[in-house]
Amino acid sequence: MVAGFAARMPIIPSDFRPPWFLREGHAQTIVPAILPRRISLKLERERWELPDGDFLDLDWARGGKQRVAILSHGLEGCSMNACIRGMAAALVAAGWDVLAWNFRGCGGEANRLPRFYHSGETGDLAAVIARAAEMYPRIALIGFSLGGNVTLKYLGEAQPHPAVVAGVGISVPVDLAASSRALDERWANRIYLRRFMKRLVAKVRAKARQFPQQFDLAGAERIRSFAEFDGRYTAPLHGFRDAADYWERSSARQFLTRITVPTLLLNARNDPFLAPECFPFDAARANPSLFLETPESGGHVGFLDLGHGLQPWSERRVVEFLASQVI
């Protein structure tokens, strides 16, 4: 995709073409996640202490470059996820240094405060960007799923740090209420929902051991939906009135028309996690800085075409987009 064509057309036709047996959305979501993939990448961990007494674990791939890509993972993910490591390796090969950061409590050790992270928490990302900007004059932001919502919200809710020159969101639930309903209510999504609830409730149980006076675990094992979990824990823990208030205030969709740096939003139309509201065609038409690409297939953080072994097409697409936008 050449830069001139993309600049004239913020809704971008996609050239992603998976083989016939990987076209279905659940296949694209599950198969790339379970296939073993060798990724040659060395990351150096930094424990970064925060002013509020908490910490973040930052994983760096440094090669002395003058530009860095900051990668934000998805719900209950971490910097060791294959999608993060694969994207990091692709960017390093393309001449970028990389910072893959872990949200609070996601780096393999519980964070110190009762709060952890959520879909609209941009303060920690802003702090990570400011730290990276001490060393790099140019920064690109890349977020997956929940991390994509955080990234796009950051880019649009206020003027980003002047070092930020581009952004990418992959498989992003930009409308959190609609995406939560899709996961809670679609029968075919039960496998994902059970997995998320198991991990989230386990995290709350661990928090309750740290702060027994602040967490009520009665009936926690019966939580079966994001509406229940976010209403009972995420919202009150992070200053929201209820789940609806949390979703409304934290969704990136409302900020997309305000993004001012070149930003690619890559959402597959058969992503089982996304509702129609997560395909913001009107925002892309209104904002020349927002490039919306919606291939027919790709699932959720899948985009496996087998054209380059087990490397997802999305990694090549992101490298291509950044090359066309970042001088």
Side-chain angles (χ1 to χ4, degrees):
M1 193 72 63
V2 298
F5 179 79
R8 292 194 302 271
M9 189 152 184
I11 298 176
I12 305 174
S14 184
D15 62 4
F16 175 60
R17 300 290 184 271
W20 64 267
F21 55 88
L22 281 177
R23 290 175 188 165
E24 199 269 334
H26 296 290
Q28 277 288 333
T29 301
I30 295 171
V31 171
I34 63 175
L35 287 179
R37 180 183 173 199
R38 292 184 179 180
I39 300 171
S40 179
L41 178 71
K42 183 179 180 181
L43 295 172
E44 176 186 352
R45 174 151 294 191
E46 174 190 1
R47 171 64 57 84
W48 186 36
E49 298 291 334
L50 298 173
D52 64 5
D54 217 337
F55 67 91
L56 294 174
D57 285 329
L58 315 180
D59 288 337
W60 296 88
R62 293 187 175 103
K65 304 299 189 296
Q66 291 298 302
R67 57 188 188 177
V68 65
I70 297 178
L71 308 187
S72 300
H73 60 76
L75 179 64
E76 286 304 281
C78 68
S79 61
M80 293 295 104
N81 290 156
C83 64
I84 295 289
R85 290 177 57 80
M87 185 65 73
L91 289 163
V92 167
W96 290 81
D97 282 2
V98 172
L99 166 54
W101 69 293
N102 296 275
F103 299 149
R104 298 189 191 214
C106 292
E109 181 180 331
N111 63 307
R112 301 184 188 122
L113 301 182
R115 59 154 295 185
F116 35 101
Y117 69 97
H118 64 81
S119 298
E121 173 52 72
T122 53
D124 285 350
L125 176 58
V128 170
I129 292 167
R131 174 152 179 77
E134 296 172 0
M135 297 168 273
Y136 296 92
R138 291 177 294 171
I139 297 173
L141 306 179
I142 302 169
F144 295 82
S145 194
L146 179 149
N149 188 79
V150 173
T151 296
L152 297 179
K153 181 173 179 281
Y154 168 82
L155 289 171
E157 67 183 352
Q159 190 65 27
H161 192 287
V164 175
V165 294
V168 176
I170 299 171
S171 301
V172 185
V174 294
D175 188 310
L176 294 171
S179 182
S180 295
R181 287 193 299 270
L183 283 162
D184 285 350
E185 299 172 6
R186 291 177 184 171
W187 182 87
N189 282 341
R190 289 185 303 167
I191 183 174
Y192 313 117
L193 185 62
R194 284 197 297 265
R195 180 175 179 271
F196 281 133
M197 290 303 109
K198 181 179 180 180
R199 298 188 68 174
L200 289 169
V201 170
K203 177 158 282 186
V204 167
R205 288 189 180 280
K207 281 289 179 186
R209 290 191 289 271
Q210 287 179 279
F211 306 97
Q213 303 304 315
Q214 298 187 45
F215 288 85
D216 177 11
L217 294 179
E221 71 281 357
R222 294 192 296 273
I223 291 176
R224 295 291 184 270
S225 69
F226 279 101
E228 293 176 278
F229 184 87
D230 287 341
R232 182 166 177 181
Y233 294 115
T234 311
L237 192 60
H238 298 98
F240 299 99
R241 185 178 63 252
D242 52 26
D245 181 50
Y246 160 53
W247 295 335
E248 180 179 357
R249 291 165 56 188
S250 299
S251 292
R253 181 171 181 138
Q254 62 197 302
F255 303 106
L256 296 179
T257 56
R258 305 182 200 172
I259 291 175
T260 56
V261 300
T263 298
L264 173 66
L265 173 53
L266 181 61
N267 279 358
R269 295 184 189 234
N270 68 353
D271 187 329
F273 291 21
L274 303 185
E277 294 88 341
C278 296
F279 298 87
F281 293 102
D282 289 346
R285 294 186 184 99
N287 185 354
S289 295
L290 178 64
F291 302 96
L292 177 60
E293 187 167 349
T294 60
E296 292 293 333
S297 181
H300 192 75
V301 193
F303 301 104
L304 184 63
D305 62 356
L306 301 180
H308 290 70
L310 295 180
Q311 183 192 38
W313 166 88
S314 52
E315 293 175 10
R316 308 191 299 275
R317 180 69 187 97
V318 169
V319 167
E320 177 189 52
F321 176 79
L322 294 180
S324 72
Q325 301 295 331
V326 180
I327 300 174

